[in-house]
Amino acid sequence: MIRIAIQSKGRLNEESLELLKDSGVTVDNQKRKFLGRAANYPLEVLYLRDDDIPEVVADGSADIGIVGLNEVEEKGVAVEIVRQLGFGSCRVSLAVPKDAEYSGLEWFQGKIIATSYPNILKRFLSEKGISASVRTIMGSVEIAPAAGIADAIFDIVSSGGTLISNGLVEVERVLYSQAVLIANPSLSEEKRALLDSLLFRIDAVGSSRGKKYILMNIPSDKVEEAINILPAMRSPTVMPLAASGWSSLHSVVEESELWDKVEKLKALGAEGILILQLDKVIA
Ligand code: PRT
Ligand code: ZN
């Protein structure tokens, strides 16, 4: 049995559960429940506030956890970062009132900075040789300058909309964060094996993200050119069709390049192009 800590509610809850589900691990999202159990995998789920997840994994109350890198860095506890999960992306940045004449980091000398991430901020300031005073506020940090209790803030930014609506501008991006899978560094052999088999599934899910499966019929004398447009993991699959002079070509494409490649393939004479959802990729 392995125990994972995930956020009970909030921005990372849904995607954490979805990742488990896509990995074939079914757990019910009962928000009021503290401890759940997967139906088809030896896994328990501990639902917590994100702030508590790094410590709980570090002290072994949970074996693994899904949490923002920002929380891991803030808590500074000994956990192993096993995977970056590609969701919950944001940055932790310094922001100043928009009419401040910001000239560079020196601006912060002697200023008061409000934040919910005092440890990351203090580390950054001391690395840069800036002496400023750090005021810890849990929640609504962005109103601190307008409320007259700080000169600047250090907070999470994603779209930047919150800063704009509070008359602030982002001036230094200190930490890029996303959801990460963390593990207790001294897992038993049994738990390590369960983690490895879970990672195998998570990686298969991760490798399929942003990719599509494409198949088409193509004149056989154009197959070589088509293969140059469509490099697959090893090489595309080519099969002769019953109609002579035609082949069926199958491959995997990055979604971002999909339409560009489809146009090129059509120009080569490809027909009956099918684009399918990819569920898992096992290399
Ligand atoms: O209750 P609990 O303590 O578990 O949750 P929480 O309220 O502390 O955290 P939650 O659910 O808001 O965020 C969980 C994690 O999501 C964070 O630790 C980050 O790793 C990640 N994340 C990603 C974000 C954002 N994007 C984000 N935009 N966390 C917070 N925000 C806030 C930001 O502080 C700002 O005030 O959302 C606001 C909107 O941001 P803009 O820039 O899009 O306007
Ligand atoms: Zn929190």
Side-chain angles (χ1 to χ4, degrees), residues 9-283:
K9 56 183 169 50
R11 287 166 202 269
L12 303 182
N13 168 268
E14 250 176 52
E15 281 182 282
S16 303
L17 286 167
E18 205 173 286
L19 179 63
L20 290 175
K21 182 169 159 256
D22 291 345
S23 305
V25 180
T26 319
V27 288
D28 27 298
N29 188 17
Q30 292 193 6
K31 289 183 181 150
R32 259 165 256 117
K33 203 153 113 184
F34 180 61
L35 189 64
R37 168 84 229 264
N40 50 2
Y41 200 83
L43 176 120
E44 282 177 334
V45 184
L46 193 57
Y47 297 93
L48 296 175
R49 291 201 54 178
D50 66 346
D51 314 57
D52 297 330
I53 293 176
E55 279 138 320
V56 155
V57 172
D59 75 15
S61 309
D63 305 305
I64 57 179
I66 296 178
V67 67
L69 178 64
N70 51 306
E71 290 297 337
V72 179
E73 292 286 315
E74 178 60 23
K75 296 301 184 292
V77 290
V79 292
E80 189 187 329
I81 296 176
V82 186
R83 284 294 183 280
Q84 306 211 325
L85 298 174
F87 59 88
S89 299
C90 59
R91 50 211 191 255
V92 195
S93 296
L94 281 160
V96 305
K98 66 175 187 306
D99 47 11
E101 278 169 31
Y102 186 77
S103 47
L105 275 180
E106 279 298 307
W107 185 92
F108 289 101
Q109 210 66 257
K111 298 281 202 297
I112 301 171
I113 310 170
T115 188
S116 308
Y117 296 94
N119 294 327
I120 300 176
L121 179 57
K122 283 177 190 162
R123 272 203 305 269
F124 175 76
L125 293 173
S126 103
E127 256 167 42
K128 301 289 178 187
I130 303 287
S131 102
S133 87
V134 174
R135 179 159 291 171
T136 305
I137 302 179
M138 289 309 183
S140 302
V141 168
E142 65 280 359
I143 62 167
I149 55 178
D151 301 302
I153 68 165
F154 178 64
D155 199 9
I156 290 180
V157 182
S158 115
S159 68
T162 303
L163 293 183
I164 292 171
S165 55
N166 286 279
L168 300 167
V169 287
E170 182 179 14
V171 291
E172 304 286 341
R173 298 179 173 188
V174 173
L175 174 74
Y176 286 89
S177 177
Q178 60 175 280
V180 290
L181 181 72
I182 55 173
N184 180 286
S186 38
L187 292 181
S188 68
E189 238 171 74
E190 180 217 341
K191 289 178 173 181
R192 181 56 67 178
L194 285 172
L195 171 59
D196 286 345
S197 102
L198 194 60
L199 284 175
F200 179 77
R201 298 175 180 206
I202 287 175
D203 290 344
V205 173
S207 314
S208 72
R209 297 240 158 109
K211 293 196 180 78
K212 296 282 176 195
Y213 192 80
I214 183 168
L215 49 154
M216 75 211 69
N217 298 335
I218 187 142
S220 300
D221 60 350
K222 300 288 185 196
V223 165
E224 281 302 313
E225 280 175 78
I227 289 176
N228 287 333
I229 298 171
L230 281 178
M233 279 175 286
R234 286 224 158 68
S235 67
T237 307
V238 184
M239 285 176 289
L241 285 183
S244 81
W246 283 81
S247 297
S248 165
L249 178 65
H250 299 206
S251 190
V252 173
V253 277
E254 291 288 335
E255 204 167 359
S256 57
E257 302 173 341
L258 180 68
W259 292 110
D260 179 53
K261 301 216 160 179
V262 165
E263 270 170 38
K264 289 184 176 145
L265 292 162
K266 274 191 75 69
L268 277 184
E271 287 179 4
I273 302 176
L274 298 181
I275 292 150
L276 307 177
Q277 200 64 41
L278 256 188
D279 234 23
K280 319 271 187 289
V281 175
I282 295 157

